[in-house]
Amino acid sequence: MTTRPPTATEQDAPAAPRDPGATRDTVAPQDPGATRDTAAPQDQAAPGRRDAEATKAAILTAARYFLARQGHAGITLKAVAERAGVSPPLILKYFGSKDALFARVMSFEADAAGLFDAPLPELGRHMVRHVLRSQLDRGTDPVLRIVFAPLHGERGDVLRANFRVQVTERLAGRLTGPDAALRAELAVGVLLGLSAMYGLARGPRLRASAIEDIVARYAPAVQSQLTPLPG
C-alpha cells in the first residue's frame, strides 16, 4: 500500500531561526521595537494583520542579528530575507529600503519605552528583569547592540547618538537629585555589563540561575545609580 505524500497544508512550516544575542526593534521571537497595528474589535486582530506583524518582527530580528555581527555595508537584503524566512521584495514592501530598515534597527526609542516602564523606586529591578527576559524569551536585547557601534563606521555614530538621546538622556530626565546625567550613564553601563555577560559571553552559571535570583543580586547595583547619594 503506497502512502501519499503530505499536502502543503499538512506539512509543518519550518521554524524561524532564533536570534541568540541581539535587536530590536522589534519576530518569530517578538521584537520590542516593532510597530504594532491597532487590534480589531474584541481584541482580535485580523489574520492578515497578525501575519504582517509577525513578518515585520521577523525581518527586524534578522536585521538585528546581522547588525551585531558585521558592518552595515556588508549586510545584504538577501541575507536578511533568508534568515527571516521571507523574500527580499517583501522587505522592500514593508520597509522601503535597506537604509530605512536599518534606521529602525538603529533606533532605541521603542526599546527604551519598555526598559523604563516602571516607577523609579522599582526601576532597577524592572530593568534587570526586562533585559534578561528579552534575551531569554525573545532572543533580543533592548540595548546591547550599542556595543557593536564600532563595526558600522559613520553609521556607528548614528547608533551612538540614538543611544545617547533615546536611552541615557531619557533615563536622566526621570532621575532626581544631582548628577542625573552621570548616574543615568552609570546605571546603563552596569546594565550593559549584565547584558553582555548573559547574551555574549553566555556565562554558564549566570544562564543556569533563575532570573529572579539574578534580579535580587544585580538590581541593587543598578538602583544605586538611580538614587542620589545621601547628603
Side-chain angles (χ1 to χ4, degrees):
M1 175 177 179
T2 59
T3 303
R4 66 176 180 84
T7 65
T9 56
E10 293 171 337
Q11 295 174 341
D12 290 335
R18 182 178 177 87
D19 183 347
T23 348
R24 125 165 263 40
D25 263 334
T26 235
V27 292
Q30 294 176 358
D31 186 335
T35 25
R36 301 181 183 280
D37 292 331
T38 304
Q42 291 87 41
D43 295 324
Q44 293 179 353
R49 287 186 176 180
R50 285 200 304 269
D51 292 346
E53 285 305 302
T55 300
K56 287 188 284 188
I59 293 167
L60 287 164
T61 292
R64 280 187 171 187
Y65 174 88
F66 288 108
L67 195 73
R69 286 159 177 80
Q70 64 189 87
H72 172 273
I75 303 171
T76 65
L77 285 183
K78 182 175 183 293
V80 174
E82 287 178 352
R83 184 164 184 85
V86 302
S87 66
L90 196 58
I91 297 179
L92 297 177
K93 173 185 175 182
Y94 286 133
F95 296 97
S97 68
K98 175 183 170 180
D99 285 345
L101 169 62
F102 279 92
R104 284 282 303 277
V105 177
M106 288 186 175
S107 172
F108 296 90
E109 190 70 42
D111 299 284
L115 183 64
F116 300 146
D117 187 21
L120 192 54
E122 295 295 320
L123 189 54
R125 296 181 65 85
H126 171 77
M127 289 167 69
V128 171
R129 185 182 295 111
H130 184 75
V131 160
L132 296 176
R133 278 289 169 206
S134 294
Q135 289 202 21
L136 185 64
D137 296 345
R138 296 187 289 274
T140 65
D141 186 284
V143 291
L144 187 57
R145 60 192 180 279
I146 187 58
V147 306
F148 303 105
L151 290 176
H152 305 298
E154 292 182 359
R155 290 182 178 275
D157 294 336
V158 174
L159 198 62
R160 292 184 190 94
N162 288 347
F163 188 80
R164 182 177 65 253
V165 172
Q166 297 166 354
V167 179
T168 57
E169 291 182 3
R170 181 171 180 167
L171 176 58
R174 292 198 53 190
L175 304 185
T176 59
D179 300 321
L182 172 62
R183 290 187 287 117
E185 291 182 1
L186 289 171
V188 174
V190 174
L191 194 67
L192 280 170
L194 177 64
S195 295
M197 192 64 196
Y198 196 88
L200 299 180
R202 301 179 71 83
R205 304 295 190 282
L206 184 60
R207 295 185 69 88
S209 299
I211 283 182
E212 290 306 314
D213 289 345
I214 301 171
V215 170
R217 288 177 175 272
Y218 205 82
V222 178
Q223 190 69 36
S224 69
Q225 301 302 328
L226 304 178
T227 306
L229 292 174

